[in-house]
Amino acid sequence: MLFVHRQRTLTDPLLDLRLFGDGVFSTGLAIGLLTGIVMAGATLLSTLYLQVVVGLSPLHTGLWLLPQNVAMAACMMITPALATRIRRVYVMAAGLTIAAGGFGLLTRVSGDDGTVLLVTGLVLASGGIALPMALTMNLVLGATPPDKAGSVASIMETSGEFGVASLGSLGTAAYRSGLADALPAGIPDDVARARAGEHHRRRGRGPAAARTTRP
C-alpha cells in the first residue's frame, strides 16, 4: 500500500499506475504475466524431473529442453505474419488451445522414463504460448508512452521469476506431501521426517545434487 501511495504522488514514478486504467494495457499485461508464470514454472519442474527422476546430467537435460526453446522462438517469429492474415483474437485463441494440449500431455508423464512425452508436451506448450505472448507484448508496449516503456517491460520480465517462485513452491509442497505415503511401512517417524528433509535439500541444491541422485 505504501508503494502504491508513493507512486501515485510522485511526479516521475517508477511505475505509472495510471496505465492500468487502459483496458488494452491491463488485459495484455495480465495475459503476458499469466503465460510467463505458467511456462517458467513448467520448465523448472520439467528440469527437475529430467535430472532427479530420469537421472540425466545437466548437459543432457539442457539438450532435451532445446526443442521447446526452438519452438517458442520460431512461433514468436511467425506470429506477426499470422496476425496480418488472421484476426489477432483467433491467433491468440489457437495458441492457447495448442498450449492447453501440451500441458495436457505433461499431466500424463509418469515416474518412469517419460522423457519423449515430456519434451513433446513442452514443445506444444511453448509453441502455443508464444503466439499470445508475442501479440500481448506488442499490445502492451503499443499502449504505453515511450518514456514508460522501460518500466513496463521490466514488469513483464518478472513473470518468469514469479513462475519459478510460485509453481516451484507448489511443486515442492506436492512432493513433500506425497513423500510420506511413498515410504515403506514401519519406518520410525523421526527417520521419515529426516528422509523427507534430505530429499528436499537435494532438490533445493539443484544440478550439483541431481548428478548424484537417481530414482
Side-chain angles (χ1 to χ4, degrees), residues 44-139:
L44 170 67
L45 297 179
S46 299
T47 302
L48 290 174
Y49 172 84
L50 291 175
Q51 293 190 39
V52 178
V53 178
V54 181
L56 299 181
S57 67
L59 174 60
H60 287 94
T61 298
L63 292 176
W64 274 107
L65 293 177
L66 276 178
Q68 78 165 104
N69 295 298
V70 173
M72 177 170 280
C75 289
M76 282 277 191
M77 294 176 65
I78 67 173
T79 298
L82 291 176
T84 59
R85 295 173 173 82
I86 307 173
R87 290 184 60 184
R88 292 183 177 182
V89 63
Y90 293 148
V91 175
M92 296 173 67
L96 292 175
T97 302
I98 295 172
F103 286 118
L105 289 180
L106 294 182
T107 64
R108 309 304 300 173
V109 176
S110 65
D112 301 325
D113 189 359
T115 303
V116 175
L117 183 61
L118 176 77
V119 173
T120 303
L122 286 176
V123 168
L124 292 176
S126 298
I129 277 183
L131 299 181
M133 283 186 68
L135 293 177
T136 53
M137 287 180 185
N138 289 334
L139 290 174

Side-chain angles (χ1 to χ4, degrees), residues 33-34 36-42 44-45 158-170:
L33 288 174
L34 180 61
I37 288 172
V38 171
M39 201 64 244
L44 170 67
L45 297 179
T158 59
S159 61
E161 287 74 13
F162 277 126
V164 171
S166 58
L167 293 189
S169 299
L170 288 175

